Amino acid sequence: MRIKKKKFIYLISPTKINKSFYQDLTKVLQQKKVSFFQLRLKKETLRKKIIIGEKIKKICKKFNVKFLINDDVFIAKKLNADGCHLGQKDMNITKARKLIGNKIIGVTCHNSIKLSKIALKNKADYIALGAFSNSKTKKIKYRASINLLRKVKKITKTPVVAIGGINSSNYKNLLLNKANFLAISGYIWDNKNLKPIEAIKKLK
């Protein structure tokens, strides 16, 4: 069963960027399956984030991939990124909009219809739901179900990004239930059996 949907991957960076990363990222983006790339570095200094961000932005631009920054609207503005992703504890969307204008702003809504409705009311460009499966990248506080995904899809045409433990054995079910994009990190970057390029090739 092949799902005819091309660029359905919302790729999130590994937690640490090593020297071979940029080459791996180039190979992965060459596959033309990634729509968004989110830089998510919790432990780096501001200066390091800017240096890394500049390099990644160039690679993303080359492959026509939208470059987003996690959490930090100020870095998104400084790097002139395509947008940012906001968690529930980050800056609110109205304030973020004033800072970065008409860029992409996505919002984490966990497993909540209520939070989804608030984000939609505040004109989020996409909402992220999850976690749909166990994730090695983050501790799971909220579990989302396929049922929730269906409910949210009924109330909005705004794109929905599914997140949390997505890999080659569970991704198709999310696409079949109309998730617009799948946020993937660990399966690509921390896969013990497959190199990044081999991992992404399995997502057809």
Side-chain angles (χ1 to χ4, degrees), residues 4-139:
K4 293 274 184 260
K5 187 164 187 189
K6 275 189 104 181
K7 296 174 80 173
F8 61 86
I9 296 172
Y10 180 121
L11 188 59
I12 299 176
S13 70
T15 46
K16 275 186 93 74
I17 304 283
N18 58 28
K19 284 202 171 99
S20 66
F21 170 76
Y22 303 104
Q23 205 176 352
D24 284 337
L25 179 64
T26 302
K27 286 178 187 169
V28 164
L29 297 189
Q30 274 171 341
Q31 297 301 305
K32 295 190 170 70
K33 294 177 187 180
V34 178
S35 276
F36 301 94
F37 179 89
Q38 184 197 113
L39 183 61
R40 183 179 180 274
L41 297 174
K42 299 284 188 183
K43 291 173 183 172
E44 296 291 3
T45 62
L46 175 64
R47 186 170 172 272
K48 196 85 188 280
K49 284 179 186 175
I50 298 292
I51 292 166
I52 290 168
E54 290 284 9
K55 285 186 184 176
I56 293 173
K57 185 181 154 186
K58 281 182 188 156
I59 298 169
C60 286
K61 200 169 180 185
K62 189 179 170 186
F63 295 102
N64 199 20
V65 170
K66 298 291 183 197
F67 174 55
L68 307 179
I69 302 293
N70 184 58
D71 293 348
D72 199 318
V73 186
F74 295 104
I75 293 181
K77 188 177 169 68
K78 195 166 175 57
L79 282 168
N80 192 23
D82 294 301
C84 66
H85 180 83
L86 302 173
Q88 287 296 324
K89 291 175 184 169
D90 297 327
M91 184 185 287
N92 74 48
I93 194 167
T94 314
K95 223 174 171 182
R97 192 63 77 199
K98 279 180 184 160
L99 273 168
I100 61 169
N102 200 24
K103 303 269 181 148
I104 298 162
I105 301 178
V107 180
T108 294
C109 296
H110 302 305
N111 55 0
S112 167
I113 292 267
K114 186 185 170 190
L115 292 178
S116 300
K117 284 179 177 173
I118 293 167
L120 294 167
K121 193 180 164 204
N122 289 323
K123 298 191 166 53
D125 294 295
Y126 69 82
I127 56 175
L129 299 175
F132 283 91
S133 298
N134 291 328
S135 166
K136 288 174 188 164
T137 314
K138 278 175 97 171
K139 276 186 183 165

